[in-house]
Amino acid sequence: MKEARYFYVPEVEAGRLPDDEAAHALRVLRLRLGDEIFLIDGVGAFHRAEVTLAASHHCGYRVVQTMPQKRLWKGHIHLAMAPTKMMDRVEWMVEKATEIGVDELSFLNCRFSERTVVKTERVERIVVAAMKQSRKAWKPVVNAMTTFAQFVGQQRPGQCFIAHCYEEIPRYDLFDQLCQIGAEHSGEVTILVGPEGDFSTDEVRMAIDQGYCPVSLGQCRLRTETAALAAVMMAQLALRNNDNESGK
């Protein structure tokens, strides 16, 4: 039995794979007429399809069945982090966060940031690859980099958190706070993770003034990308649908 082949096709009705997906399908997988493929539209559905054109740089298909997918977690998980100086660590985090499950990714330019530019085109490619690998029906939104002040100054739905390490500023346990959200309502959450030198105390207080809840990720000091991934994992565990937990 052949392994199922998944492709990201945001415009399923077009009837042809996007150029980069077509190149992979024809040159690497060597698909032929009649082969079965699965399309991911990125907005909640898989589509079973049959290859109808496999020539040159074009791969056409006919949709046989549309399969809406059930969300595995409640609400909307938005992770905003200050990227590290080494971009490969950010890319690793993006890949793993997508595989675990996240809805939106933002990048922050903070006072102590070591990197002030992020090429979102490459991040998008990593997200798409991880989405296909982990069989996710929803593609995370990737936002362009913005300043910390601009980000926290925007009104956001649900509960917002800022993780920091300052002992003089009271903090709550992030997982405890997320579990309360999971038990009480839909679970719209935004979590901020700072650079290697942490947010500045002024930035933390600015966020608190804007309604952000100051939180801790535990007793250990974590690298930025590890902290970001831990935050996503905590949100996943706290906001997972009860039906999935009970095996229904």
Side-chain angles (χ1 to χ4, degrees), residues 54-76:
S56 185
H57 303 291
H58 303 292
C59 183
Y61 57 80
R62 176 178 65 88
V63 173
V64 176
Q65 181 185 11
T66 295
M67 300 171 287
Q69 301 297 299
K70 181 178 179 181
R71 291 188 65 87
L72 301 178
W73 61 92
K74 297 185 291 183
H76 184 94

Side-chain angles (χ1 to χ4, degrees), residues 148 152-153 160 162 169 201-214:
F148 179 88
V152 299
C160 299
I162 180 167
I169 302 177
T201 55
D202 287 343
E203 287 171 331
V204 174
R205 293 191 173 96
M206 181 190 303
I208 294 173
D209 289 343
Q210 293 293 331
Y212 281 72
C213 176

Side-chain angles (χ1 to χ4, degrees), residues 162-165 171-175 214-220 234:
I162 180 167
H164 72 86
C165 299
R171 297 170 295 166
Y172 302 91
D173 183 86
L174 175 60
F175 188 63
V215 292
S216 167
L217 297 174
Q219 299 299 315
C220 299
M234 290 179 191

Side-chain angles (χ1 to χ4, degrees), residues 152-171:
V152 299
Q154 295 177 358
Q155 192 169 19
R156 302 185 184 280
Q159 181 67 60
C160 299
F161 302 95
I162 180 167
H164 72 86
C165 299
Y166 295 106
E167 296 294 338
E168 65 270 25
I169 302 177
R171 297 170 295 166

Side-chain angles (χ1 to χ4, degrees), residues 26-45:
L26 299 174
R27 299 175 187 173
V28 180
L29 299 178
R30 300 185 182 279
L31 295 185
R32 297 290 182 264
L33 294 181
D35 283 349
E36 181 181 73
I37 59 176
F38 290 87
L39 315 177
I40 303 175
D41 60 19
V43 291

